[in-house]
Amino acid sequence: MLAITERAIRASFVNCTQGEAKRLAVPNDLETRPWVDLDFLGWRDPAATQRAYLVAESDSGLVGVALRVAPQTGRARRSMCSLCLTTHTGDGVSLMTARKAGRDGRQGNSVGVYVCSDLACSFYLRGRKDAGRRLDETITLEEKIDRTTTILGAFLRRVLE
Ligand SMILES: [Zn+2]
């Protein structure tokens, strides 16, 4: 993705109030992020670990989504990220829930997704970060990236609709 500013990030949120978007914790190292290797920007709030955020490009511009991270069960198990299809053990994958945008969200409707707990899917796909095991696939990196952005796009549409 292209580099984005804190201002653009705060303006992109579709499922929280303007006040929340103004106050939420945006990473302070945006200048040094490896943007060309990012399919989306995702991060956890270091001061409130149940909060996570994801910002991605879409046909209608940047879309930012505030997520609530479900508490971990503490059981050792394998689970797979539904965005990048990386398998992690233990707490490596979390259920993250986004309140839907607009009236649906105000009525309490939300959409959930299982995603790498550190939201570093782009790095797992590119082998910049090692999760120990990935699916044994013959498709190219470009195809994997395409798949991830397609799945992410579908998730964002469900938040927006
Ligand atoms: Zn992932």
Side-chain angles (χ1 to χ4, degrees), residues 24-71:
L24 63 83
V26 169
N28 55 17
D29 60 349
L30 292 173
E31 275 111 65
T32 57
R33 294 266 168 161
W35 294 99
V36 286
D37 280 347
L38 291 181
D39 306 313
F40 63 87
L41 178 67
W43 71 98
R44 300 280 290 262
D45 182 337
T49 49
Q50 79 280 14
R51 292 177 196 274
Y53 304 97
L54 190 161
V55 178
E57 287 161 352
S58 79
D59 295 342
S60 49
L62 275 186
V63 177
V65 171
L67 299 154
R68 186 153 284 272
V69 184

Side-chain angles (χ1 to χ4, degrees), residues 14-17 99-110:
V14 297
N15 70 340
C16 59
T17 66
R99 198 171 71 200
K100 291 188 71 158
R103 196 173 53 184
D104 263 11
R106 288 193 293 276
Q107 289 172 347
N109 293 320
S110 59

